Amino acid sequence: MDATNLRMLIEMATVARDAAGAKRAQAAAAVDAAGQQLITLHGYASDYERRAKTILADGGDIAAQTNLQAFTAKLFKAIEQQRNEVKRREQVLAAADRDFLDAQRKLKSLQALQTRGAEQARAAEQRLEQKLLDEFAQTMLRGHERPLATEGW
């Protein structure tokens, strides 16, 4: 694979990794938001449960108590649904994590391939330079040997 194609693949892998990272960040924010909503629902449920107990302890009317208990039951159902939503969003986040790690791994592999190719090219260039230097030195040595041989040494 030539260097131009490899650079293009690295750019594409970088874009894909960045997109996966953005998707992962969105999924994490969604988990946080759903968790905050769950906490809020728990607060409402606790508040209404406390109100129902206070009305019962104060001898309040049964209709008000029944209404509060019914509303509290609806809140607990909403809490259960929100727990499921948090779990679903956590699964989406886990999938986004996997996608991000896969994209990161692909990018690192391409970068390693690029580094290896650059090292191989550098080694080949050094071998060529050494060969040229050796040939030049050999030529210079041959040039000095001839005059000495003709003078009778």
Side-chain angles (χ1 to χ4, degrees), residues 15 22 26-27 29 34 53-54 101 105 107 131 137 140 151-152:
V15 168
Q26 288 174 340
K53 288 178 184 177
T54 302
L101 291 174
R105 199 171 8 261
L107 176 60
K131 179 181 175 186
M140 294 300 290
E151 293 178 9

Side-chain angles (χ1 to χ4, degrees), residues 48-59 65 68-69:
Y48 278 96
E49 224 176 3
R50 196 170 40 272
R51 285 183 190 180
K53 288 178 184 177
T54 302
I55 289 174
L56 179 62
D58 290 344
Q65 182 184 352
L68 281 174
Q69 286 175 340

Side-chain angles (χ1 to χ4, degrees), residues 127-145:
R127 283 191 303 273
L128 179 61
E129 286 178 16
Q130 187 61 49
K131 179 181 175 186
L132 292 174
L133 283 173
D134 290 346
E135 288 175 358
F136 179 73
Q138 198 67 357
T139 301
M140 294 300 290
L141 184 61
R142 281 191 212 122
H144 287 319
E145 288 177 355

Side-chain angles (χ1 to χ4, degrees), residues 5 15-16 19 28 31 33 37 58 66-67 91 102 107-108 110 129 142:
N5 287 340
V15 168
V31 168
Q37 194 171 10
D58 290 344
T66 303
N67 286 339
Q91 290 170 348
D102 288 345
L107 176 60
K108 290 287 185 191
L110 289 170
E129 286 178 16
R142 281 191 212 122

Side-chain angles (χ1 to χ4, degrees), residues 1-11 113-114 117-118 121:
M1 179 176 307
D2 69 358
T4 303
N5 287 340
L6 188 55
R7 270 195 309 274
M8 187 171 52
L9 285 174
I10 289 172
E11 287 175 19
L113 186 61
Q114 183 182 42

Side-chain angles (χ1 to χ4, degrees), residues 41-110:
L41 286 171
H42 273 293
Y44 289 151
S46 295
D47 186 43
Y48 278 96
E49 224 176 3
R50 196 170 40 272
R51 285 183 190 180
K53 288 178 184 177
T54 302
I55 289 174
L56 179 62
D58 290 344
D61 76 27
I62 301 293
Q65 182 184 352
T66 303
N67 286 339
L68 281 174
Q69 286 175 340
F71 186 70
T72 303
K74 288 180 183 179
L75 277 174
F76 281 118
K77 185 174 182 177
I79 286 170
E80 187 58 34
Q81 289 172 342
Q82 191 61 29
R83 269 194 201 110
N84 291 336
E85 181 63 15
V86 169
K87 287 178 188 175
R88 186 189 68 75
R89 289 182 183 195
E90 285 172 342
Q91 290 170 348
V92 169
L93 176 58
D97 280 339
R98 286 188 301 273
D99 291 346
F100 176 76
L101 291 174
D102 288 345
Q104 182 68 17
R105 199 171 8 261
K106 181 178 180 180
L107 176 60
K108 290 287 185 191
S109 295
L110 289 170

